[in-house]
Amino acid sequence: MSDTAGFDAVDLSILWERLVSITDEGATALIRTSFSTLVREGFDLSVLIFDADARMIAQSTKCIPVFIGTAPITLSHMLAKFPGETLDPGDVVISNDPTIGTGHMYDLAVMRPIFRDGALAGYAMSITHLPDIGGMGFSVSAREIYHEGLRLPITKLMVKGELNADLMELIKLNVRVPEQVAGDIHANLACTAVVVRQVLEFMDEYGLDSLAGLADEILAQSENAVRQALLRMPDAEYTSEADVEAYDEIRTLRCRVVKKGDRLRIDFEGTGPCVGAGINVPFPYTRAMALYAIKCITTPSIPNNDGATALIEVVAPVGSILAAVPPAPSAGRHTIGHFVVPLIFDAMARIVPDRVMAASGLIDIMTFQGRHADGREMAANYFVSGGFGALQDLDGRQTTPGSSNMGTTPIEVFEPLSGLLVEEKALLPDSGGAGTFRGGAGQTVVLVNASGNDMVLFSMANRTRFAAEGLFGGLPGAKRSHMIDGQEVVGQGRHVMPPGSRLTLRQAGGGGYGPPEGRSTADIEKDIDDGFLTRDGAVAAYGERARGAGG
């Protein structure tokens, strides 16, 4: 069929799902060939297909939310430097520039053009978090972007199928774990090659001259689904704000959501300025998190593509902590950026109370640097989650990341990689916010430095000063804390762990939904039985009726 041929509903569904399956196949290749646990275990990745007009039409189901909105921006900048008509088969373009991508240098975007019979048919892209990029390491401690590592401009890693060996050597000389970094880059090359091959097989199988006609149908269907969801909402304008810990300062994030007809505008005017630490958020990341929040509210079940974002406008004041520009550092941009989703949910709660959730405990990310017992250099990341926020008719899940969906590295993999011993990992009772529907519980994790050497910890915690708020009378969850050998340390900064020292991580709980009075005594008793509440904690949260609940 030609690119102008129409598609009936069945054909469109089959072709659409086939494109998504191709991105999933690319993701599988990426996961299986990656050297780092961030990709192999944490699934910090995305694989995407664009048509020749640079419209994103399919994205892998294993991906993190931020890549929904940043990849099209990255591709547009790549094509501004290397227009499609100047590319050749076998070319591969890369960049990790945070200002045009995911907001920090650790995410590398790899783009490979798709040519069919000599004509440009589209683009394949993969994005992964590299295990290291030099500089200070993955942390919030940098004072300027120049401290954070190797910032790669938009450049060609491969030219007509030939690897740019000088560029690879430059990268390897600037990172702590060159084998892992180089291995992950080659995994991205393999992934995009798989996607290109399968897209061409797909086009041959279905007789498609180009992807344009199919893209038109997919994007139109997605845009219309969002339009119908918006039209079912009342026109309204609502605001929200939240204070967040910003290194050694406090910043206020402000949001105004304006819904009118089939359009939605999100404005972060009034948000505070950048700080001198790596928690500032470049605008593409802010935009992506905002789009993700609206996607959850409007059309959570349809695959991601550019059609789902066409009716949403996002703006933020340049130079604010949600629209950072160089030289503001941004390696730990998630530390602030993950608050965008609960901020929007709080505003939208007045419009669609049944589609939003209370705030989550969020994810806690740490970087460890040091040496193994045999002297080898070590750089490892550790991800641990707080509790999920509650929703209408649904309790929050325990130890589930909100505003992101990172996987966890198995202890058996993490311990030999890092030189740390996981001494304890257990649910943290009484940490979820009370409510008619309770917030998810956090957890306690104890890590022991078993490397025999000093180890540097870079922590990027949030929710240490401001708990996850509840909705509609639900109570906030418990705050997060970090302790080294029993002494609490600041959650955003650099710390040294001597050999044998213990790092105790107590993770924040999710906020509750609805007043605690609405929770049944049977549910309270089950929470106690399941270890989410202690008896004393239940009485403190739900009153004297919990003292004899179930008895």
Side-chain angles (χ1 to χ4, degrees):
M1 63 184 71
S2 72
D3 65 318
T4 57
F7 301 92
D8 64 31
V10 174
D11 286 341
L12 181 62
S13 176
I14 292 171
L15 296 176
W16 192 348
E17 289 297 328
R18 180 73 177 273
L19 284 176
V20 174
S21 74
I22 291 172
T23 63
D24 286 343
E25 191 72 22
T28 298
L30 189 55
I31 291 165
R32 289 181 175 176
T33 57
S34 175
F35 280 48
S36 72
T37 58
L38 285 168
V39 177
R40 196 171 62 245
E41 307 288 350
F43 308 130
D44 195 344
L45 60 92
S46 188
V47 182
L48 312 101
I49 297 171
F50 299 81
D51 73 353
D53 292 325
R55 298 179 296 177
M56 195 260 283
I57 54 177
Q59 184 178 33
S60 57
T61 51
K62 269 193 171 66
C63 64
I64 60 174
V66 64
F67 297 145
I68 296 172
T70 59
I73 294 175
T74 302
L75 181 60
S76 69
H77 284 273
M78 287 178 167
L79 296 180
K81 183 170 182 179
F82 297 111
E85 61 270 18
T86 70
L87 296 172
D88 293 300
D91 285 355
V92 174
V93 180
I94 66 169
S95 179
N96 72 336
D97 188 341
T99 64
I100 63 165
T102 71
H104 69 181
M105 297 179 194
Y106 286 85
D107 291 332
L108 181 71
V110 177
M111 181 273 282
R112 189 187 292 263
I114 304 170
F115 284 90
R116 184 172 187 268
D117 298 330
L120 183 66
Y123 305 92
M125 180 180 285
S126 62
I127 307 172
T128 60
H129 185 119
L130 296 176
D132 190 67
I133 200 63
M136 298 186 69
F138 187 22
S139 76
V140 302
S141 298
R143 309 301 291 182
E144 292 182 303
I145 195 172
Y146 312 111
H147 301 159
E148 294 187 322
L150 183 63
R151 183 179 172 193
L152 297 168
I154 296 169
T155 188
K156 289 187 179 181
L157 179 62
M158 295 185 71
V159 179
K160 297 182 180 179
E162 293 293 325
L163 183 70
N164 185 338
D166 289 338
L167 179 58
M168 280 297 296
E169 183 179 8
L170 174 67
I171 294 171
K172 290 167 70 175
L173 282 172
N174 280 275
V175 299
R176 295 173 178 83
V177 284
E179 296 82 6
Q180 288 188 46
V181 173
D184 277 17
I185 292 173
H186 281 285
N188 279 273
L189 294 177
C191 162
T192 52
V194 166
V195 173
V196 168
R197 183 182 72 245
Q198 293 202 4
V199 167
L200 293 177
E201 292 172 354
F202 164 79
M203 295 177 71
D204 288 341
E205 181 178 347
Y206 290 98
L208 295 175
D209 297 330
S210 81
L211 295 174
L214 180 57
D216 288 342
E217 294 283 348
I218 290 173
L219 300 183
Q221 289 273 352
S222 299
E223 181 177 330
N224 188 58
V226 174
R227 176 176 289 107
Q228 296 307 312
L230 291 175
L231 288 173
R232 287 191 291 270
M233 299 179 191
D235 287 354
E237 178 175 337
Y238 288 105
T239 62
S240 62
E241 65 177 56
D243 289 333
V244 296
E245 55 264 66
Y247 206 63
D248 54 358
E249 302 181 58
I250 294 173
R251 284 290 180 270
T252 299
L253 310 181
R254 290 189 172 88
C255 171
R256 183 171 74 253
V257 177
V258 179
K259 187 272 168 181
K260 186 174 183 181
D262 63 354
R263 294 292 192 276
L264 195 76
R265 188 174 195 268
I266 301 170
D267 190 345
F268 295 99
E269 182 67 38
T271 292
C274 288
V275 298
I279 58 173
N280 303 295
V281 190
F283 179 69
Y285 189 97
T286 296
R287 176 179 178 272
M289 297 307 290
L291 293 175
Y292 164 65
I294 300 305
K295 179 75 160 53
C296 291
I297 291 171
T298 56
T299 53
S301 61
I302 66 172
N304 295 320
N305 56 63
D306 278 352
T309 66
L311 304 176
I312 315 300
E313 181 186 8
V314 184
V315 295
V318 175
S320 71
I321 201 169
L322 292 180
V325 293
S330 61
R333 82 288 194 244
H334 67 276
T335 309
I336 299 296
H338 282 180
F339 283 96
V340 168
V341 173
L343 193 69
I344 291 173
F345 282 172
D346 186 49
M348 295 290 287
R350 286 74 176 170
I351 306 173
V352 282
D354 58 328
R355 302 186 199 177
V356 297
M357 58 184 285
S360 290
L362 305 179
I363 199 167
D364 192 4
I365 303 178
M366 286 144 282
T367 297
F368 297 92
Q369 293 175 2
R371 292 189 179 276
H372 290 282
D374 61 6
R376 288 179 296 118
E377 196 163 16
M378 181 279 295
N381 300 119
Y382 190 68
F383 294 52
V384 60
S385 299
F388 212 57
L391 302 90
Q392 186 179 88
D393 298 324
L394 188 65
D395 293 335
R397 288 185 177 272
Q398 283 55 248
T399 66
T400 301
S403 302
S404 184
N405 57 349
M406 297 296 301
T408 56
T409 301
I411 291 172
E412 296 82 359
V413 175
F414 176 74
E415 288 183 335
L417 175 72
S418 65
L420 289 155
L421 174 69
V422 182
E423 187 176 73
E424 179 185 349
K425 188 170 172 46
L427 282 176
L428 181 60
D430 303 332
S431 56
T436 305
F437 305 97
R438 56 150 181 82
Q443 58 186 308
T444 298
V445 178
V446 179
L447 305 174
V448 180
N449 178 5
S451 70
N453 300 295
D454 282 352
M455 191 175 289
V456 175
L457 160 67
F458 291 104
S459 56
M460 295 175 274
N462 47 34
R463 296 252 182 256
T464 59
R465 299 180 66 177
F466 301 99
E469 294 291 337
L471 276 178
F472 304 113
L475 299 185
K479 298 176 186 176
R480 173 175 283 116
S481 68
H482 288 186
M483 292 180 288
I484 297 178
D485 292 333
Q487 298 296 313
E488 189 161 356
V489 296
V490 296
Q492 298 174 2
R494 179 185 185 275
H495 311 287
V496 176
M497 293 177 59
S501 60
R502 283 171 169 76
L503 172 66
T504 301
L505 309 168
R506 290 185 178 146
Q507 296 303 300
Y513 187 109
E517 295 77 19
R519 193 163 186 82
S520 71
T521 54
D523 284 337
I524 295 170
E525 184 66 21
K526 187 174 188 304
D527 290 340
I528 295 171
D529 290 343
D530 289 339
F532 306 148
L533 282 173
T534 64
R535 182 70 65 183
D536 288 345
V539 173
Y542 296 100
E544 285 300 316
R545 68 190 179 101
R547 193 174 299 282

PDB file of all heavy atoms in Angstrom, residues 371-373 415 418-422 447-453 455 497-502:
ATOM      1  N   ARG A 371      37.215   2.597  45.686  1.00  0.00           N
ATOM      2  CA  ARG A 371      37.988   1.505  45.104  1.00  0.00           C
ATOM      3  C   ARG A 371      37.585   0.191  45.743  1.00  0.00           C
ATOM      4  O   ARG A 371      37.238   0.135  46.929  1.00  0.00           O
ATOM      5  CB  ARG A 371      39.490   1.743  45.286  1.00  0.00           C
ATOM      6  CG  ARG A 371      40.021   2.917  44.479  1.00  0.00           C
ATOM      7  CD  ARG A 371      41.536   3.010  44.509  1.00  0.00           C
ATOM      8  NE  ARG A 371      41.998   4.145  43.709  1.00  0.00           N
ATOM      9  CZ  ARG A 371      42.180   4.107  42.393  1.00  0.00           C
ATOM     10  NH1 ARG A 371      41.961   2.968  41.743  1.00  0.00           N
ATOM     11  NH2 ARG A 371      42.582   5.169  41.740  1.00  0.00           N
ATOM     12  N   HIS A 372      37.637  -0.863  44.932  1.00  0.00           N
ATOM     13  CA  HIS A 372      37.401  -2.201  45.462  1.00  0.00           C
ATOM     14  C   HIS A 372      38.600  -2.614  46.319  1.00  0.00           C
ATOM     15  O   HIS A 372      39.653  -1.965  46.332  1.00  0.00           O
ATOM     16  CB  HIS A 372      37.209  -3.195  44.313  1.00  0.00           C
ATOM     17  CG  HIS A 372      35.924  -3.014  43.577  1.00  0.00           C
ATOM     18  ND1 HIS A 372      34.714  -3.459  44.057  1.00  0.00           N
ATOM     19  CD2 HIS A 372      35.652  -2.422  42.373  1.00  0.00           C
ATOM     20  CE1 HIS A 372      33.758  -3.175  43.191  1.00  0.00           C
ATOM     21  NE2 HIS A 372      34.299  -2.540  42.161  1.00  0.00           N
ATOM     22  N   ALA A 373      38.435  -3.715  47.017  1.00  0.00           N
ATOM     23  CA  ALA A 373      39.508  -4.209  47.887  1.00  0.00           C
ATOM     24  C   ALA A 373      40.788  -4.482  47.113  1.00  0.00           C
ATOM     25  O   ALA A 373      41.891  -4.358  47.656  1.00  0.00           O
ATOM     26  CB  ALA A 373      39.039  -5.475  48.607  1.00  0.00           C
ATOM     27  N   GLU A 415      26.025  -5.775  45.158  1.00  0.00           N
ATOM     28  CA  GLU A 415      27.087  -5.913  46.157  1.00  0.00           C
ATOM     29  C   GLU A 415      28.473  -6.094  45.535  1.00  0.00           C
ATOM     30  O   GLU A 415      29.397  -5.340  45.873  1.00  0.00           O
ATOM     31  CB  GLU A 415      26.761  -7.061  47.119  1.00  0.00           C
ATOM     32  CG  GLU A 415      25.627  -6.715  48.076  1.00  0.00           C
ATOM     33  CD  GLU A 415      25.347  -7.816  49.079  1.00  0.00           C
ATOM     34  OE1 GLU A 415      25.663  -8.987  48.776  1.00  0.00           O
ATOM     35  OE2 GLU A 415      24.814  -7.512  50.156  1.00  0.00           O
ATOM     36  N   SER A 418      29.656  -2.809  43.756  1.00  0.00           N
ATOM     37  CA  SER A 418      29.888  -1.590  44.533  1.00  0.00           C
ATOM     38  C   SER A 418      30.848  -1.738  45.705  1.00  0.00           C
ATOM     39  O   SER A 418      31.396  -0.745  46.190  1.00  0.00           O
ATOM     40  CB  SER A 418      28.553  -1.078  45.081  1.00  0.00           C
ATOM     41  OG  SER A 418      28.015  -2.016  45.999  1.00  0.00           O
ATOM     42  N   GLY A 419      31.020  -2.962  46.214  1.00  0.00           N
ATOM     43  CA  GLY A 419      31.784  -3.116  47.444  1.00  0.00           C
ATOM     44  C   GLY A 419      30.975  -2.784  48.688  1.00  0.00           C
ATOM     45  O   GLY A 419      31.526  -2.693  49.792  1.00  0.00           O
ATOM     46  N   LEU A 420      29.675  -2.609  48.538  1.00  0.00           N
ATOM     47  CA  LEU A 420      28.767  -2.351  49.651  1.00  0.00           C
ATOM     48  C   LEU A 420      27.995  -3.623  49.993  1.00  0.00           C
ATOM     49  O   LEU A 420      27.606  -4.391  49.108  1.00  0.00           O
ATOM     50  CB  LEU A 420      27.783  -1.238  49.307  1.00  0.00           C
ATOM     51  CG  LEU A 420      28.368   0.175  49.223  1.00  0.00           C
ATOM     52  CD1 LEU A 420      27.523   1.044  48.313  1.00  0.00           C
ATOM     53  CD2 LEU A 420      28.457   0.801  50.608  1.00  0.00           C
ATOM     54  N   LEU A 421      27.764  -3.830  51.260  1.00  0.00           N
ATOM     55  CA  LEU A 421      26.976  -4.961  51.743  1.00  0.00           C
ATOM     56  C   LEU A 421      25.594  -4.449  52.149  1.00  0.00           C
ATOM     57  O   LEU A 421      25.479  -3.504  52.935  1.00  0.00           O
ATOM     58  CB  LEU A 421      27.666  -5.617  52.939  1.00  0.00           C
ATOM     59  CG  LEU A 421      26.891  -6.730  53.652  1.00  0.00           C
ATOM     60  CD1 LEU A 421      26.773  -7.952  52.762  1.00  0.00           C
ATOM     61  CD2 LEU A 421      27.576  -7.079  54.974  1.00  0.00           C
ATOM     62  N   VAL A 422      24.549  -5.045  51.598  1.00  0.00           N
ATOM     63  CA  VAL A 422      23.181  -4.674  51.968  1.00  0.00           C
ATOM     64  C   VAL A 422      22.828  -5.477  53.217  1.00  0.00           C
ATOM     65  O   VAL A 422      22.490  -6.654  53.153  1.00  0.00           O
ATOM     66  CB  VAL A 422      22.190  -4.955  50.828  1.00  0.00           C
ATOM     67  CG1 VAL A 422      20.781  -4.514  51.238  1.00  0.00           C
ATOM     68  CG2 VAL A 422      22.611  -4.227  49.562  1.00  0.00           C
ATOM     69  N   LEU A 447      23.262  -0.013  54.291  1.00  0.00           N
ATOM     70  CA  LEU A 447      24.388  -0.379  53.436  1.00  0.00           C
ATOM     71  C   LEU A 447      25.680  -0.239  54.232  1.00  0.00           C
ATOM     72  O   LEU A 447      25.908   0.799  54.870  1.00  0.00           O
ATOM     73  CB  LEU A 447      24.453   0.517  52.198  1.00  0.00           C
ATOM     74  CG  LEU A 447      23.186   0.593  51.329  1.00  0.00           C
ATOM     75  CD1 LEU A 447      23.368   1.630  50.227  1.00  0.00           C
ATOM     76  CD2 LEU A 447      22.877  -0.757  50.722  1.00  0.00           C
ATOM     77  N   VAL A 448      26.542  -1.248  54.187  1.00  0.00           N
ATOM     78  CA  VAL A 448      27.805  -1.249  54.915  1.00  0.00           C
ATOM     79  C   VAL A 448      28.949  -1.158  53.914  1.00  0.00           C
ATOM     80  O   VAL A 448      28.984  -1.901  52.920  1.00  0.00           O
ATOM     81  CB  VAL A 448      27.953  -2.527  55.771  1.00  0.00           C
ATOM     82  CG1 VAL A 448      29.281  -2.502  56.519  1.00  0.00           C
ATOM     83  CG2 VAL A 448      26.790  -2.647  56.744  1.00  0.00           C
ATOM     84  N   ASN A 449      29.885  -0.242  54.145  1.00  0.00           N
ATOM     85  CA  ASN A 449      31.068  -0.131  53.298  1.00  0.00           C
ATOM     86  C   ASN A 449      31.999  -1.303  53.588  1.00  0.00           C
ATOM     87  O   ASN A 449      32.734  -1.313  54.571  1.00  0.00           O
ATOM     88  CB  ASN A 449      31.778   1.196  53.552  1.00  0.00           C
ATOM     89  CG  ASN A 449      33.047   1.341  52.714  1.00  0.00           C
ATOM     90  OD1 ASN A 449      33.357   0.500  51.867  1.00  0.00           O
ATOM     91  ND2 ASN A 449      33.779   2.419  52.943  1.00  0.00           N
ATOM     92  N   ALA A 450      31.967  -2.309  52.722  1.00  0.00           N
ATOM     93  CA  ALA A 450      32.784  -3.512  52.899  1.00  0.00           C
ATOM     94  C   ALA A 450      33.973  -3.547  51.943  1.00  0.00           C
ATOM     95  O   ALA A 450      34.579  -4.596  51.740  1.00  0.00           O
ATOM     96  CB  ALA A 450      31.919  -4.757  52.690  1.00  0.00           C
ATOM     97  N   SER A 451      34.310  -2.383  51.364  1.00  0.00           N
ATOM     98  CA  SER A 451      35.380  -2.351  50.361  1.00  0.00           C
ATOM     99  C   SER A 451      36.775  -2.324  50.961  1.00  0.00           C
ATOM    100  O   SER A 451      37.762  -2.572  50.268  1.00  0.00           O
ATOM    101  CB  SER A 451      35.205  -1.129  49.461  1.00  0.00           C
ATOM    102  OG  SER A 451      35.486   0.077  50.177  1.00  0.00           O
ATOM    103  N   GLY A 452      36.887  -1.974  52.254  1.00  0.00           N
ATOM    104  CA  GLY A 452      38.187  -1.816  52.877  1.00  0.00           C
ATOM    105  C   GLY A 452      38.832  -0.473  52.594  1.00  0.00           C
ATOM    106  O   GLY A 452      39.954  -0.211  53.057  1.00  0.00           O
ATOM    107  N   ASN A 453      38.147   0.407  51.864  1.00  0.00           N
ATOM    108  CA  ASN A 453      38.660   1.735  51.530  1.00  0.00           C
ATOM    109  C   ASN A 453      37.604   2.790  51.836  1.00  0.00           C
ATOM    110  O   ASN A 453      36.404   2.481  51.919  1.00  0.00           O
ATOM    111  CB  ASN A 453      39.020   1.816  50.036  1.00  0.00           C
ATOM    112  CG  ASN A 453      40.084   0.825  49.628  1.00  0.00           C
ATOM    113  OD1 ASN A 453      41.223   0.913  50.067  1.00  0.00           O
ATOM    114  ND2 ASN A 453      39.705  -0.143  48.786  1.00  0.00           N
ATOM    115  N   MET A 455      34.958   5.499  51.055  1.00  0.00           N
ATOM    116  CA  MET A 455      34.017   5.576  49.942  1.00  0.00           C
ATOM    117  C   MET A 455      33.317   6.927  50.006  1.00  0.00           C
ATOM    118  O   MET A 455      32.916   7.384  51.077  1.00  0.00           O
ATOM    119  CB  MET A 455      32.995   4.439  50.037  1.00  0.00           C
ATOM    120  CG  MET A 455      32.128   4.260  48.819  1.00  0.00           C
ATOM    121  SD  MET A 455      31.047   2.803  48.975  1.00  0.00           S
ATOM    122  CE  MET A 455      32.244   1.463  48.835  1.00  0.00           C
ATOM    123  N   MET A 497      32.346   7.820  53.623  1.00  0.00           N
ATOM    124  CA  MET A 497      32.031   6.643  54.428  1.00  0.00           C
ATOM    125  C   MET A 497      33.328   5.848  54.652  1.00  0.00           C
ATOM    126  O   MET A 497      33.854   5.248  53.714  1.00  0.00           O
ATOM    127  CB  MET A 497      31.002   5.766  53.719  1.00  0.00           C
ATOM    128  CG  MET A 497      29.624   6.379  53.581  1.00  0.00           C
ATOM    129  SD  MET A 497      28.493   5.282  52.656  1.00  0.00           S
ATOM    130  CE  MET A 497      28.524   3.799  53.669  1.00  0.00           C
ATOM    131  N   PRO A 498      33.856   5.839  55.879  1.00  0.00           N
ATOM    132  CA  PRO A 498      35.053   5.040  56.165  1.00  0.00           C
ATOM    133  C   PRO A 498      34.743   3.548  56.032  1.00  0.00           C
ATOM    134  O   PRO A 498      33.570   3.138  56.029  1.00  0.00           O
ATOM    135  CB  PRO A 498      35.391   5.405  57.619  1.00  0.00           C
ATOM    136  CG  PRO A 498      34.622   6.657  57.901  1.00  0.00           C
ATOM    137  CD  PRO A 498      33.399   6.594  57.052  1.00  0.00           C
ATOM    138  N   PRO A 499      35.777   2.723  55.923  1.00  0.00           N
ATOM    139  CA  PRO A 499      35.552   1.272  55.881  1.00  0.00           C
ATOM    140  C   PRO A 499      34.753   0.808  57.094  1.00  0.00           C
ATOM    141  O   PRO A 499      35.002   1.229  58.222  1.00  0.00           O
ATOM    142  CB  PRO A 499      36.968   0.693  55.886  1.00  0.00           C
ATOM    143  CG  PRO A 499      37.823   1.779  55.325  1.00  0.00           C
ATOM    144  CD  PRO A 499      37.206   3.064  55.783  1.00  0.00           C
ATOM    145  N   GLY A 500      33.763  -0.027  56.848  1.00  0.00           N
ATOM    146  CA  GLY A 500      32.933  -0.563  57.915  1.00  0.00           C
ATOM    147  C   GLY A 500      31.780   0.318  58.337  1.00  0.00           C
ATOM    148  O   GLY A 500      30.940  -0.103  59.151  1.00  0.00           O
ATOM    149  N   SER A 501      31.692   1.530  57.822  1.00  0.00           N
ATOM    150  CA  SER A 501      30.610   2.430  58.236  1.00  0.00           C
ATOM    151  C   SER A 501      29.281   1.990  57.626  1.00  0.00           C
ATOM    152  O   SER A 501      29.234   1.320  56.594  1.00  0.00           O
ATOM    153  CB  SER A 501      30.925   3.869  57.827  1.00  0.00           C
ATOM    154  OG  SER A 501      31.065   3.976  56.426  1.00  0.00           O
ATOM    155  N   ARG A 502      28.189   2.411  58.292  1.00  0.00           N
ATOM    156  CA  ARG A 502      26.846   2.020  57.884  1.00  0.00           C
ATOM    157  C   ARG A 502      26.042   3.235  57.443  1.00  0.00           C
ATOM    158  O   ARG A 502      25.953   4.226  58.170  1.00  0.00           O
ATOM    159  CB  ARG A 502      26.116   1.323  59.036  1.00  0.00           C
ATOM    160  CG  ARG A 502      26.543  -0.110  59.252  1.00  0.00           C
ATOM    161  CD  ARG A 502      25.958  -0.699  60.523  1.00  0.00           C
ATOM    162  NE  ARG A 502      26.173  -2.135  60.556  1.00  0.00           N
ATOM    163  CZ  ARG A 502      27.335  -2.697  60.828  1.00  0.00           C
ATOM    164  NH1 ARG A 502      28.394  -1.935  61.127  1.00  0.00           N
ATOM    165  NH2 ARG A 502      27.460  -4.016  60.830  1.00  0.00           N
TER     166      ARG A 502
END
